[in-house]
Amino acid sequence: MNQNKSMNLGLLYFSATGNTEKISRVIKNRLEEFGCTVDMIDITPLSSRKGGFDCTSYDALILGAPVHSWRIPRVVREWLPNLSGDGKKCAIFLTYGGFQINPAHYTTSQLLQKQGFSVVSSAEFLAFHTFNIGGWKAMEGRPDESDIAVAREYAEIIYARFSGKDSNLVGELEKTGHPEELLDKIEGFRFRILTQVPTRQGADCCMCRECEEFCPTGAIDAMTGETDPSRCIACLGCVLRCPEGVLMINDMTPSWEFKLKGEHITEEEMNGKKSRIYL
């Protein structure tokens, strides 16, 4: 006799390079094995975040996002106040390229709690770094089978906490003593590495407009092939998705060794990191 509890779950995810989407699908598939109905809602394109989002039809929510400079992307942080938790349970998972991840778990949980959600758990998954598109070598080949295994395990934990088989909420997450102004400044460091935002540099293209339609901030104009640097968040989803490969950025290779030294870590140490779950 199947004693699993059927639930209707919403899985919201932001995924410019496909890493968070990949983990989302693993979690969705495992939860469906428990009899849950899981709607995956892609909140990456700007059009997907127009207006609010109605949570009332879901028993609980899952939020997945990458880490951009110690926090989830600003566009997601600014959109979350559109959600109303009304006491619903929520699980978090983050993807990151091997460098600093905290205080992303804590700040994300605080945003969700402010909207009335009860955060039951959080997890982090290793994934190739966005800047690998420009020449870095951070977490190449991740997420791999080891990360997928942790994602399946995490889905089991989410199910137990959502269904009430495990009534615990997430424990204490690593806080930050850094003021918001400093975190904002750290966020801006991305553009000391990405010094040329995506552009066609006058090259012709098929005008599929995929870059413009996908852009999380509406920063790129497909007709001109130019990106507004004041709106770009350096997610590089447009570069990755361009079917003709005509969107160009600067070569980031020279900054790779500098980044490793600045973070006091070697490639070998980075590659030894493992995805993990916070309960």
Side-chain angles (χ1 to χ4, degrees), residues 198-251:
T199 175
R200 285 208 314 272
Q201 295 183 335
D204 292 331
C205 77
C206 65
M207 279 295 149
C208 67
R209 294 188 177 274
E210 185 170 350
C211 58
E212 185 177 291
E213 292 170 2
F214 174 81
C215 182
T217 62
I220 190 165
D221 184 327
M223 186 62 68
T224 64
E226 299 295 328
T227 297
D228 181 348
S230 69
R231 299 174 71 180
C232 179
I233 60 170
C235 73
L236 304 187
C238 59
V239 179
L240 187 67
R241 284 168 171 76
C242 179
E244 296 182 295
V246 294
L247 286 172
M248 299 289 108
I249 56 175
N250 60 289
D251 179 12

Side-chain angles (χ1 to χ4, degrees), residues 91-104:
I92 302 166
F93 72 91
L94 308 174
T95 55
Y96 76 115
F99 291 112
Q100 176 76 12
I101 186 168
N102 285 311

Side-chain angles (χ1 to χ4, degrees), residues 32-154:
E32 288 179 338
E33 292 175 10
F34 288 105
C36 298
T37 299
V38 184
D39 291 338
M40 283 182 58
I41 301 110
D42 185 359
I43 60 170
T44 317
L46 177 61
S47 59
S48 69
R49 287 176 276 107
K50 293 289 187 181
F53 179 81
D54 187 0
C55 303
T56 56
S57 62
Y58 297 108
D59 297 308
L61 287 186
I62 304 164
L63 175 67
V67 174
H68 287 184
S69 305
W70 301 13
R71 294 180 293 181
I72 61 174
R74 176 175 295 277
V75 292
V76 181
R77 303 197 309 268
E78 292 176 345
W79 180 76
L80 285 180
N82 288 291
L83 304 184
S84 179
D86 295 323
K88 291 182 189 293
K89 293 179 179 179
C90 182
I92 302 166
F93 72 91
L94 308 174
T95 55
Y96 76 115
F99 291 112
Q100 176 76 12
I101 186 168
N102 285 311
H105 290 284
Y106 174 77
T107 55
T108 305
S109 69
Q110 291 297 295
L111 287 170
L112 289 166
Q113 288 173 17
K114 186 176 181 179
Q115 296 310 120
F117 290 96
S118 294
V119 179
V120 301
S121 57
S122 194
E124 63 194 41
F125 298 95
L126 277 306
F128 71 85
H129 199 289
T130 300
F131 287 175
N132 287 8
I133 296 170
W136 281 19
K137 298 178 181 179
M139 292 297 163
E140 294 180 312
R142 307 291 286 272
D144 60 15
E145 288 305 315
S146 68
D147 305 305
I148 299 304
V150 176
R152 285 179 57 82
E153 178 188 355
Y154 187 48

Side-chain angles (χ1 to χ4, degrees), residues 69 131 182 184-194:
S69 305
F131 287 175
L182 178 58
D184 288 342
K185 185 176 181 180
I186 291 170
E187 198 169 83
F189 288 169
R190 296 170 68 81
F191 291 96
R192 293 189 180 182
I193 299 170
L194 179 71

